[in-house]
Amino acid sequence: MPEFEFDVDASIAAGWERFAARLAGFLRDLVPGATFDLTIPVPGTRAGYTPFIRFTAVRAGVGSTSATPPGGTPATPSAMAGTGSIEAEVSGGGSEDDPASLRAGQLDQLAGLGWTLPDAHIEDDDEATAPRPRLCLPADEATHLAHLAAGTIERVFGIPHPVFLHDVIDGDPQPGSDGPGPTETSAVEPDPALAADDVDFRPITITDPDQATRAVAAALSEIYNGRVEADEHDVFTVPAGCVVVFVRAHRSMPLIVFRSPLVPTVEDAGAAETEVAILNRDSLWCRYVFDGKSVYAESEFVDRVFVPVNFKIHFTEISAELDDVYPDLARRVAAKQWRDLHSAEDPETGEQ
């Protein structure tokens, strides 16, 4: 990443790639008969109705309906017999007695990604017989299945970054912990003789960008009550309510930059320009930008002497503002796909 760039798209892509790699390893380790539900925290979903992808490991020699991965070779029963297989199905959530159906638009997207839709009930309005897209691949194709699941979560269910899936793999990884473990430079160690409140007010003189990165890591780790690490570009990825925030210490200045991609695809450009102008007039913490396609928010924290409590206040205020403005902004300017997805909590909305 160039010194003066902040490539949010690259950070998002890298985050999903790391997530898929971890998921693939998890799937390969499933013992035959084991079932794993990967929950998908769609904003506004009613309690108990969270969508999920269910993975089931099938021992070698046990047949199942095979499917052809997009751009791949059909997974034949004989091929799966030697390695075992993994069955996956996508559910709209709910319980066996009261399942939630997937929308027609979601089913179309799933079919386009390579999921197989049951023919019998595609036009059935009964939620109890709602189609569950399925796929069965040999266990040695876990990497492909993991990438398909990651794409499904991002594109069909609108999850902007795997940081929102922090409780699904490796026990309970914390927000932002895409990496395998801590590094020697992942945090600024506080003086054990100082109380926590004292550490918050203890100034840290920033002399180089790596020190700034370590200071940010320590502060974010305390905010999220767990290890938060930067990626290979020194970018931190953390959730702020329904949105994701990227944080980076600038490489040449005592400057910390925050950026949040609020609406990736704008449908109404005129409305977006109006909304951004209003937000910039009223905002105390962020600068909002519409580039003709997307709306994102930016903020900066400048202080050669880094005081953790000041950074925490700044970040908390940014997070609260973004979480407050995001739903209304997206409903006014986002593409119809987003509106359909995020109206899932409204039972009166009906099929979109």
Side-chain angles (χ1 to χ4, degrees):
M1 180 184 296
E3 182 174 312
F4 295 100
E5 290 297 319
F6 195 109
D7 193 337
V8 167
D9 290 339
S11 292
I12 292 174
W16 283 113
E17 185 64 32
R18 289 191 298 270
F19 174 81
R22 294 171 61 201
L23 177 59
F26 188 88
L27 295 178
R28 280 191 290 266
D29 290 340
L30 286 178
V31 298
T35 295
F36 165 61
D37 287 352
L38 175 58
T39 57
I40 306 172
V42 176
T45 303
R46 290 178 292 165
Y49 287 83
T50 303
F52 60 87
I53 301 176
R54 175 166 293 169
F55 301 94
T56 302
V58 180
R59 70 178 183 275
V62 176
S64 180
T65 303
S66 62
T68 303
T73 303
T76 62
S78 60
M80 290 187 288
T83 62
S85 58
I86 302 173
E87 294 181 346
E89 64 176 6
V90 183
S91 172
S95 64
E96 294 295 331
D97 296 330
D98 184 24
S101 61
L102 294 164
R103 287 180 165 79
Q106 291 174 314
L107 294 173
D108 290 342
Q109 287 179 292
L110 289 165
L113 287 171
W115 294 89
T116 299
L117 306 186
D119 294 329
H121 303 298
I122 288 180
E123 300 299 331
D124 198 330
D125 292 331
D126 184 359
E127 290 188 352
T129 57
R132 280 193 176 185
R134 297 174 183 269
L135 198 64
C136 186
L137 294 176
D140 58 11
E141 293 189 30
T143 297
H144 171 76
L145 183 57
H147 279 91
L148 176 61
T152 297
I153 294 167
E154 181 183 19
R155 299 172 198 170
V156 179
F157 293 98
I159 303 302
H161 192 278
V163 72
F164 293 97
L165 304 166
H166 58 84
D167 62 344
V168 296
I169 304 177
D170 291 349
D172 187 18
Q174 296 297 320
S177 60
D178 288 313
T183 63
E184 293 181 0
T185 60
S186 63
V188 175
E189 294 295 333
D191 185 340
L194 297 174
D197 288 345
D198 293 330
V199 172
D200 260 359
F201 288 90
R202 180 186 183 188
I204 302 170
T205 301
I206 301 299
T207 58
D208 62 75
D210 291 331
Q211 186 178 20
T213 298
R214 293 194 296 270
V216 171
L220 289 174
S221 295
E222 291 180 10
I223 291 172
Y224 286 92
N225 194 30
R227 188 180 69 251
V228 176
E229 295 180 339
D231 64 16
E232 65 273 21
H233 300 300
D234 294 328
V235 176
F236 298 90
T237 308
V238 289
C242 294
V243 301
V244 63
V245 179
F246 297 94
V247 186
R248 187 183 188 219
H250 204 284
R251 300 303 297 174
S252 62
M253 299 173 62
L255 171 69
I256 297 168
V257 181
F258 305 83
R259 181 169 291 181
S260 176
L262 293 176
V263 181
T265 304
V266 167
E267 184 176 75
D268 188 334
E273 291 175 352
T274 300
E275 292 298 320
V276 165
I278 294 172
L279 289 172
N280 283 326
R281 180 196 68 191
D282 298 338
S283 174
L284 297 176
W285 298 96
C286 296
R287 177 176 63 256
Y288 295 86
V289 179
F290 173 49
D291 62 6
K293 175 188 174 183
S294 307
V295 176
Y296 57 92
E298 295 180 331
S299 185
E300 298 173 351
F301 179 80
V302 184
D303 198 345
R304 186 172 294 276
V305 177
F306 184 93
V307 181
V309 69
N310 292 343
F311 172 86
K312 291 179 180 181
I313 291 172
H314 191 91
F315 178 76
T316 300
E317 294 290 354
I318 290 172
S319 299
E321 179 174 306
L322 294 178
D323 194 38
D324 181 53
V325 305
Y326 168 69
D328 188 56
L329 171 67
R331 287 187 177 92
R332 291 176 185 271
V333 308
K336 182 176 183 297
Q337 177 185 341
W338 187 96
R339 296 198 301 270
D340 290 349
L341 175 65
H342 291 76
S343 61
E345 73 276 15
D346 183 0
E348 302 300 324
T349 301
E351 189 67 67
Q352 303 291 332

